[in-house]
Amino acid sequence: MKRLTGKTKEATLIEMSNTLDSQIEGNNGSINSISDRGTQLPGHREIDKLGQNRDSVYFRDGVRRIDFVLSYVDDKDGDKKAERRREFEANLEKAGLELETEDKSESDDRKTYYLKIHAPWEVLATYADVLKIKVPFKASDIPKAREVPLEWLTHPFRLPDNIMRPEPDYFTAPFDKSKVDFFLIDDKDTFFPPSTRNRIVYYILTRCPYYKEDRKEKDKTGINRLLNNGTYTSAYPLHDCKYWKKAQDMQCESERYHLYKYWARFLCFYKEQPLNLIKKYYGEKIGIYFAWLGFYTEMLFFAAVMGVICFVYGVLSYEDNITSKEICDPKIGGMIVMCPLCDKKCSYWKLNSTCLSSWQSHLFDNEGTVFFAIFMGIWVTLFLEFWKRRQARLEYEWDLVDFEEEQQQLQIRPEYELKCTGRRLNRITQEMEPYLPFPSKCARFCLSGATVLFWTCLIVACIMGVIAYRLAVYAAFASIMKDSPTSKIQLVGSLITPQLATSVTASCINFVIILILNFLYEHVAIWITDMEIPKTHLEYENKLTMKMFMFQFVNYYSSCFYVAFFKGKFVGYPGNYTYMFGKWSKLRNEECAPGGCLIELTTQLLIVMAGKQMVGNVQEALLPLLRNWWGSRKGRSHPESTYSRWEQDHDLQNFSQFGLFYEYLEMVIQFGFITLFVASFPLAPLLALFNNILEVRVDAWKFTTQFRRPVAAKSRNIGAWEEILNVVAILSVVTNAFIMAFTSDMIPRLVYLYAYHPGDEATMRGYITNSLSLYNISQIPESNLPEAGENPSWFNSSTITTCSYRDYRYPPGHEKQYTHNMQFWHILAAKLAFIIIMEHVVFVVKFFVAWLIPDVPTEVKARIKRERFLVQEYLHNYEVEKLKMQLSQSFCLSTETASLLPSSPSKHQVLSECI
């Protein structure tokens, strides 16, 4: 494989220009022939300086295609920047690129210059060889898949064949400049698609120096540095047409128009995605993202259906919920006096005040939730395994099978080459390459790790602050909402309990903190990743991905982990309560409602998840729409003769290098919500499904209408996100098992039903009384008693001598009073047994399904082998034919030479004469 190493990339680019002139002159399809053509190509109109159609992707000659555009303006530091531009553009021309400048007087704002760049065939062929870009050499002879039965049912969801398959199927091989006649080259001007052309040009731009030949200043290299110092204001490839109508030029593909018509409009939400067209226009990396997002959305449909069934079961079993009926019954729940939930400010309360929350809890905490949690554990496995198969099929169809990520070592980040001044010998390539010394690498790694740890601790501190808020404010809500005849919010207080009010407000505050910390940490994560100086783009993305996900994981999920696994678990009992920071803090740990903490986890999950989706959709759809409203009006109102294609794209938003990163991050965080805590909220997959249906079309709309055309990039998979999804999938089995065991009230109810119910009939009657313990009010310490005037009017200390609390302890007067009774240990054993059984069942099924479903379909394996065989066979035949032609030419040449020489006597004649 050819490499642009050994010498510096800058020297290689400049030295290439010394041989380009002779190479171009000897090439039949060279660019020099363009200027000698007296006529225009079919589909191109004669264009002059005054009356040309500026809504075009071609140079003024109407022949050479614009592969990239750079823009700049004159400013106060103009002389220095102009010098940089002169050197940079001179080096671009030395590298073989062709340039054309649009003066600012011709621009719409009268101050912006546009530099148009065209890559001729010789440059494209050279770098296609270097980058090992696959190109077709033979039409595919593999028959298409047979139609499946009932395929007509999917016709309403299908797109036209020319949209779904914009290119014929070919067998492909890495381009080799020395074997040009081996490949199917009909027209050198259109052989490489625009996405490949802009990828090659961008590769050159990022490595082209802008220093003078006599001054080797290593840091003066690449378009990114010129953009950062303001020498150029933007750099981008062009869209091929306006998104709302086709291009007038017949040579233009109008793929952007087709993408908008069949993909980006919301009315197409039920249609399949034109993945092949997306890949062709935007490149494989963006195509893989939309393929994964579409597949994830399809699989969410099955999870959403099961979640709705589970929720409907909770609604239909509403009347059979004996536990809630007992809580709401004035003769049962109305007669049970509960101990105060906080010190001083909280009074005694009756159990039936939690009637509404107990009914709400039953909707999500019922027998169907257990089966749904098990189903989701299996669904996650099916999703990941079937995605591997879909990904393998795309790898084959998009010529990514032999594309190894190691090939991206060719694309060492320019920042790495500039900052790493040391050089060492590569043992594999035996070439000198830049490297980062080990002490410097360790120091940078330690600083990066310390920064991540600091921000993680900051999140934990914020969560502790929110918990302290919950503990402190609960007393205030309890005091305001207590059952008082003079209370002005008596009606509201009967509907909103102190627990619910505290949970909702704390969740909202926590969500605001999450948004603020996310905004700050994004910049910190990018800074520390830049500081580590990763060697390749792949390494950079993986490092940033891990940092951002670790932070987002703690930031978004920590509050849910607190409610699910800590709240109500370390409370103590009357007379011996547990405090958050010790008794001096007077912040008593929170208790769960009699129905359990599951409904609070549901509230927390709903607020954070739905809030994140709403904020994300506003940021992605409404703000860009408002920001570009004026630009869209300007684009539609300007005539084509004055509002050029490069100006239209210049007015769009730039698609940053982190664009796809944030899209993946958003979806993976959502994936965590619907898997890690789905047992508490079965409707979470339904919300995610609705959001993702909108997300696909919003992202498509942004790419086609709001963003400049991104530089095409290759990727065979979703990268580090796949490993993160696997980790989340395994962790989700554990979290859901613990939620069902310790957060839900399911296990205590089942233990009561089968072991502790009175009488011979298995019934839940009496469960509420059984799940509560008694405490003698006279033994409650003064510090835990309500203040004077806080007790409700119905409380009479002379008649009410005990209060109830949620636990399994012996009653007062027992020889083991206030210690855990045997039922507590039976329930704990049942919880642990449930966790072990559920985890083993789900993991066994997961591994069996993973073993049963091969990662690569058998059909794809056969096609890959067939293509590799054909490549070897055709290359062998090609080399044989080439050798035959060379031998034939040499034979003909030797024959002609022999005929010109005087005839010499034969060996027999000479021998006879000697005799």
Side-chain angles (χ1 to χ4, degrees):
M1 182 179 292
K2 294 185 179 181
R3 294 177 61 89
L4 290 180
T5 54
K7 299 177 183 180
T8 63
K9 299 289 195 307
E10 300 85 354
T12 306
L13 287 169
I14 295 175
E15 288 176 4
M16 278 184 58
S17 64
N18 298 331
T19 58
L20 276 175
D21 292 338
S22 59
Q23 291 174 336
I24 292 173
E25 289 175 0
N27 193 308
N28 293 331
S30 66
I31 60 169
N32 288 339
S33 61
I34 295 175
S35 60
D36 298 331
R37 297 175 189 173
T39 58
Q40 300 291 330
L41 289 177
H44 292 283
R45 299 186 301 276
E46 186 75 16
I47 299 176
D48 57 22
K49 182 79 173 179
L50 298 176
Q52 67 175 0
N53 178 6
R54 290 162 59 79
D55 187 24
S56 171
V57 294
Y58 292 92
F59 275 20
R60 292 193 186 98
D61 59 15
V63 176
R64 291 172 291 173
R65 189 181 186 106
I66 302 172
D67 297 313
F68 229 87
V69 174
L70 309 181
S71 67
Y72 60 91
V73 296
D74 290 330
D75 53 22
K76 60 183 181 180
D77 195 20
D79 294 340
K80 187 182 296 185
K81 293 179 180 178
E83 179 65 22
R84 295 180 193 143
R85 286 193 290 267
R86 278 194 296 270
E87 295 298 332
F88 186 68
E89 291 167 18
N91 288 331
L92 289 179
E93 289 179 329
K94 289 179 181 179
L97 298 178
E98 298 182 2
L99 312 178
E100 185 177 83
T101 303
E102 292 288 336
D103 191 73
K104 66 179 180 180
S105 61
E106 299 176 2
S107 64
D108 186 63
D109 59 5
R110 298 294 188 270
K111 62 180 181 180
T112 304
Y113 294 87
Y114 295 95
L115 177 67
K116 298 176 288 186
I117 302 175
H118 168 76
W121 166 259
E122 187 64 29
V123 174
L124 294 174
T126 300
Y127 281 92
D129 192 352
V130 169
L131 298 175
K132 296 302 176 186
I133 294 174
K134 284 192 172 185
V135 293
F137 70 90
K138 181 185 182 298
S140 175
D141 60 357
I142 297 179
K144 295 182 179 179
R146 299 177 181 177
E147 293 188 1
V148 297
L150 302 178
E151 188 179 8
W152 58 271
L153 292 175
T154 63
H155 284 175
F157 310 102
R158 299 286 183 186
L159 292 176
D161 282 345
N162 66 314
I163 302 300
M164 291 301 298
R165 285 177 285 275
E167 296 176 304
D169 290 334
Y170 292 104
F171 292 122
T172 60
F175 185 80
D176 189 339
K177 189 178 177 183
S178 63
K179 300 182 178 67
V180 173
D181 52 343
F182 174 73
F183 302 101
L184 298 178
I185 304 178
D186 296 328
D187 185 354
K188 291 183 178 180
D189 291 335
T190 59
F191 179 66
F192 292 107
S195 58
T196 301
R197 297 174 68 100
N198 70 56
R199 177 187 167 201
I200 291 175
V201 173
Y202 183 72
Y203 184 86
I204 298 174
L205 289 174
T206 55
R207 286 157 176 80
C208 184
Y210 57 92
Y211 52 76
K212 295 182 179 179
E213 292 186 15
D214 58 339
R215 298 171 59 190
K216 299 290 185 179
E217 300 173 85
K218 299 298 183 183
D219 60 333
K220 292 187 175 182
T221 302
I223 186 62
N224 292 329
R225 190 170 180 85
L226 291 172
L227 290 171
N228 291 335
N229 61 32
T231 303
Y232 291 100
T233 56
S234 60
Y236 53 93
L238 291 180
H239 284 293
D240 59 1
C241 66
K242 296 176 179 176
Y243 67 84
W244 63 86
K245 70 175 182 178
K246 289 185 178 180
Q248 296 182 7
D249 198 325
M250 297 301 295
Q251 290 290 103
C252 195
E253 302 86 355
S254 297
E255 292 173 343
R256 185 190 187 193
Y257 166 77
H258 290 132
L259 286 171
Y260 177 74
K261 180 180 179 181
Y262 294 104
W263 179 50
R265 295 187 303 164
F266 183 73
L267 294 178
C268 301
F269 73 92
Y270 63 95
K271 296 280 189 180
E272 60 184 337
Q273 295 187 87
L275 295 177
N276 290 320
L277 186 58
I278 297 170
K279 182 269 299 184
K280 182 184 177 186
Y281 192 74
Y282 291 113
E284 290 83 355
K285 192 169 187 176
I286 292 177
I288 283 287
Y289 164 72
F290 279 104
W292 176 81
L293 179 59
F295 181 77
Y296 172 45
T297 305
E298 293 172 9
M299 292 295 292
L300 274 177
F301 173 79
F302 302 101
V305 169
M306 291 301 298
V308 170
I309 292 175
C310 180
F311 179 77
V312 169
Y313 173 80
V315 174
L316 296 179
S317 60
Y318 205 67
E319 294 299 325
D320 299 330
N321 183 16
I322 298 176
T323 302
S324 295
K325 287 183 178 181
E326 289 189 348
I327 292 176
C328 298
D329 191 345
K331 297 181 180 179
I332 302 177
M335 301 300 293
I336 298 177
V337 178
M338 304 295 296
C339 299
L341 294 175
C342 64
D343 297 339
K344 300 296 183 179
K345 296 296 182 181
C346 296
S347 62
Y348 298 97
W349 52 287
K350 291 185 178 180
L351 183 61
N352 63 351
S353 63
T354 61
C355 175
L356 181 62
S357 63
S358 69
W359 285 112
Q360 294 170 344
S361 179
H362 175 74
L363 296 176
F364 306 105
D365 188 7
N366 53 67
E367 294 79 3
T369 307
V370 179
F371 296 100
F372 182 66
I374 296 174
F375 167 81
M376 286 303 295
I378 300 172
W379 174 88
V380 169
T381 304
L382 292 174
F383 164 66
L384 295 176
E385 292 301 319
F386 282 124
W387 164 245
K388 291 177 183 177
R389 292 172 62 85
R390 175 73 65 89
Q391 187 171 258
R393 191 177 296 276
L394 290 175
E395 286 179 14
Y396 169 74
E397 293 176 355
W398 292 355
D399 294 325
L400 300 171
V401 173
D402 296 322
F403 174 76
E404 298 294 338
E405 302 297 350
E406 286 76 9
Q407 291 184 18
Q408 294 191 6
Q409 299 296 332
L410 286 169
Q411 303 179 29
I412 294 176
R413 296 176 67 239
E415 295 83 356
Y416 183 85
E417 295 178 314
L418 297 176
K419 296 178 181 179
C420 299
T421 56
R423 297 270 166 176
R424 67 179 177 185
L425 184 68
N426 188 311
R427 296 181 180 179
I428 299 174
T429 64
Q430 294 297 308
E431 297 174 349
M432 298 301 294
E433 65 176 11
Y435 81 104
L436 187 66
F438 183 75
S440 177
K441 184 181 294 186
C442 288
R444 294 171 185 272
F445 178 79
C446 293
L447 180 58
S448 174
T451 305
V452 173
L453 182 61
F454 168 78
W455 279 86
T456 304
C457 294
L458 182 61
I459 297 174
V460 175
C462 291
I463 295 300
M464 297 292 287
V466 173
I467 295 173
Y469 163 85
R470 299 171 69 109
L471 301 179
V473 173
Y474 177 81
F477 279 120
S479 179
I480 295 173
M481 295 181 179
K482 66 180 183 291
D483 186 11
S484 172
T486 60
S487 176
K488 296 181 180 180
I489 58 169
Q490 185 174 359
L491 178 61
V492 178
S494 64
L495 299 177
I496 302 178
T497 62
Q499 292 96 328
L500 181 60
T502 303
S503 179
V504 170
T505 56
S507 298
C508 293
I509 293 173
N510 181 65
F511 179 66
V512 173
I513 292 174
I514 287 173
L515 295 181
I516 295 173
L517 291 177
N518 275 348
F519 176 77
L520 297 175
Y521 184 75
E522 284 177 5
H523 301 282
V524 175
I526 294 173
W527 174 75
I528 59 178
T529 306
D530 289 338
M531 181 198 62
E532 292 180 15
I533 319 179
K535 185 176 182 179
T536 64
H537 294 283
L538 178 65
E539 185 180 350
Y540 184 92
E541 290 182 3
N542 289 342
K543 285 177 177 286
L544 183 62
T545 297
M546 295 308 299
K547 290 182 181 66
M548 284 297 295
F549 179 75
M550 288 173 58
F551 177 85
Q552 298 269 20
F553 184 92
V554 178
N555 198 17
Y556 277 105
Y557 303 145
S558 55
S559 58
C560 293
F561 272 101
Y562 164 73
V563 176
F565 306 123
F566 295 96
K567 183 179 178 181
K569 307 300 184 295
F570 311 99
V571 177
Y573 59 93
N576 190 24
Y577 285 119
T578 306
Y579 292 80
M580 184 176 180
F581 301 110
K583 288 190 176 182
W584 62 269
S585 65
K586 299 182 180 180
L587 295 176
R588 205 170 90 189
N589 287 348
E590 288 184 280
E591 296 185 38
C592 291
C597 278
L598 195 72
I599 189 63
E600 289 195 43
L601 179 59
T602 303
T603 304
Q604 180 76 24
L605 182 63
L606 178 61
I607 290 176
V608 176
M609 179 180 174
K612 182 182 184 300
Q613 293 181 352
M614 290 177 61
V615 171
N617 289 331
V618 168
Q619 289 178 339
E620 291 188 9
L622 295 182
L623 294 182
L625 185 63
L626 295 175
R627 188 185 304 116
N628 291 282
W629 174 74
W630 174 251
S632 178
R633 286 186 58 192
K634 184 172 70 171
R636 289 177 182 262
S637 62
H638 273 56
E640 295 177 357
S641 60
T642 60
Y643 196 40
S644 63
R645 163 62 31 214
W646 44 91
E647 287 182 278
Q648 294 176 44
D649 287 7
H650 180 267
D651 292 338
L652 299 176
Q653 297 179 67
N654 180 45
F655 183 75
S656 70
Q657 61 173 327
F658 304 114
L660 275 187
F661 170 80
Y662 290 119
E663 300 293 345
Y664 274 118
L665 182 62
E666 179 185 1
M667 288 296 102
V668 172
I669 292 297
Q670 181 202 85
F671 180 80
F673 279 124
I674 68 166
T675 54
L676 294 174
F677 309 102
V678 72
S680 67
F681 188 41
L683 294 181
L686 183 65
L687 293 182
L689 175 64
F690 289 149
N691 176 80
N692 287 10
I693 291 174
L694 180 63
E695 180 77 19
V696 171
R697 303 305 159 177
V698 168
D699 286 348
W701 172 77
K702 288 191 306 180
F703 271 95
T704 53
T705 67
Q706 304 301 305
F707 285 141
R708 297 170 186 163
R709 186 173 184 172
V711 178
K714 276 186 174 290
S715 178
R716 66 179 299 181
N717 50 43
I718 61 176
W721 299 110
E722 188 167 348
E723 293 302 321
I724 291 175
L725 291 175
N726 285 321
V727 172
V728 172
I730 294 174
L731 183 61
S732 67
V733 178
V734 180
T735 56
N736 283 300
F738 273 83
I739 287 174
M740 295 307 304
F742 289 99
T743 309
S744 169
D745 208 33
M746 179 61 59
I747 302 300
R749 290 202 297 263
L750 292 177
V751 171
Y752 175 81
L753 180 64
Y754 294 107
Y756 286 91
H757 67 276
D760 298 330
E761 182 183 359
T763 178
M764 291 300 297
R765 297 188 182 278
Y767 168 72
I768 286 298
T769 304
N770 177 266
S771 65
L772 299 175
S773 299
L774 296 177
Y775 197 87
N776 194 333
I777 294 179
S778 62
Q779 296 177 339
I780 297 178
E782 184 68 24
S783 59
N784 300 137
L785 289 173
E787 293 180 345
E790 291 291 338
N791 287 329
S793 56
W794 51 262
F795 182 79
N796 188 343
S797 58
S798 59
T799 57
I800 301 176
T801 58
T802 60
C803 63
S804 301
Y805 59 99
R806 182 180 171 80
D807 207 343
Y808 293 92
R809 296 178 181 271
Y810 289 110
H814 193 277
E815 60 180 1
K816 298 180 180 179
Q817 65 175 1
Y818 308 141
T819 60
H820 288 299
N821 57 25
M822 189 57 63
Q823 186 174 354
F824 169 85
W825 300 109
H826 287 168
I827 292 173
L828 180 61
K831 289 179 177 180
L832 297 177
F834 173 83
I835 292 173
I836 294 173
I837 293 173
M838 179 177 172
E839 286 183 353
H840 280 68
V841 168
V842 175
F843 278 131
V844 167
V845 174
K846 278 172 64 70
F847 292 129
F848 176 75
V849 170
W851 171 81
L852 187 65
I853 302 175
D855 293 345
V856 182
T858 306
E859 175 194 3
V860 173
K861 289 181 179 179
R863 293 190 175 205
I864 292 173
K865 292 178 180 179
R866 166 71 174 162
E867 184 163 338
R868 286 175 176 168
F869 167 76
L870 284 176
V871 170
Q872 294 176 354
E873 183 182 33
Y874 271 75
L875 279 174
H876 175 265
N877 294 338
Y878 171 82
E879 294 293 347
V880 170
E881 292 296 326
K882 190 174 181 180
L883 181 60
K884 287 180 180 179
M885 291 179 63
Q886 291 174 353
L887 292 175
S888 176
Q889 290 175 358
S890 62
F891 176 76
C892 293
L893 183 61
S894 63
T895 304
E896 292 175 0
T897 305
S899 64
L900 295 176
L901 294 175
S903 59
S904 57
S906 66
K907 185 186 296 184
H908 295 286
Q909 291 175 338
V910 174
L911 184 59
S912 61
E913 290 177 358
C914 293
I915 295 174

